[in-house]
Amino acid sequence: MADTSWIPVASAGVGAAIALAGTVVSSVRSDRAQRSRDRELERLSTYVDFAVAIHDAHSALRDVARAVTNPKERAVAAAQTLQDSKVYGIRERLLMSATIEMAKASESVFFALIGIRDAVRAGTELSGAAYHDAYHVFADAIWKFRIAARQELSQRPIAPADLGRINWSEREECPVCGQTVSST
């Protein structure tokens, strides 16, 4: 008769291998889920950083339009506001990590901000038509960016009326534009 004393040892070894494999598979799944959550959190952080940088650049451009009258100094100061706000670097990070919808929305905001920069560089005052034309495009674009971010984060859509507005461009409430237009 053959010696069968090795069967319990082999069974224990096979059981240990199965348990180890199960632990490894579980760990890999957990790591993937954690990486996915980390990527989502990184994207959200980038979206918020971008919105803050855009806000800071816009505020600084308004300050330049108010305070700098020399055309050469104004051109340099307007360009510097975008550098100081770090909008360029954050935009690059966003373009590399964002969904296509968010990348499109962010580019619209960025180029609307460039429109404001160009109007300020050209010497427009805050009460001037050139600034206001650029501003209203910007206001509409930043709200579309916010809405795209909300959609990506599975939040309920938000409409202008939810915040007591007629539309996102703010033209209807603008004392400079003086337009009276119905809801769009």
Side-chain angles (χ1 to χ4, degrees), residues 50 86-95 107 110-111:
F50 181 73
K86 301 187 182 353
V87 74
Y88 291 121
I90 296 168
R91 173 180 174 236
E92 289 303 319
R93 204 170 75 212
L94 192 149
L95 289 172
E107 284 296 274
F110 177 76
F111 285 110

Side-chain angles (χ1 to χ4, degrees), residues 133-183:
D133 288 345
Y135 172 76
H136 294 301
V137 171
F138 172 77
D140 191 54
I142 192 71
W143 274 105
K144 287 179 179 172
F145 175 81
R146 291 170 180 147
I147 290 166
R150 288 181 61 82
Q151 287 174 338
E152 186 160 316
L153 297 169
S154 302
Q155 297 297 313
R156 279 185 336 121
I158 190 169
D162 295 331
L163 300 176
R165 297 171 183 259
I166 295 171
N167 70 29
W168 295 128
S169 76
E170 302 176 2
R171 281 190 189 275
E172 290 74 17
E173 298 89 16
C174 179
V176 173
C177 294
Q179 294 186 8
T180 310
V181 180
S182 63
S183 179

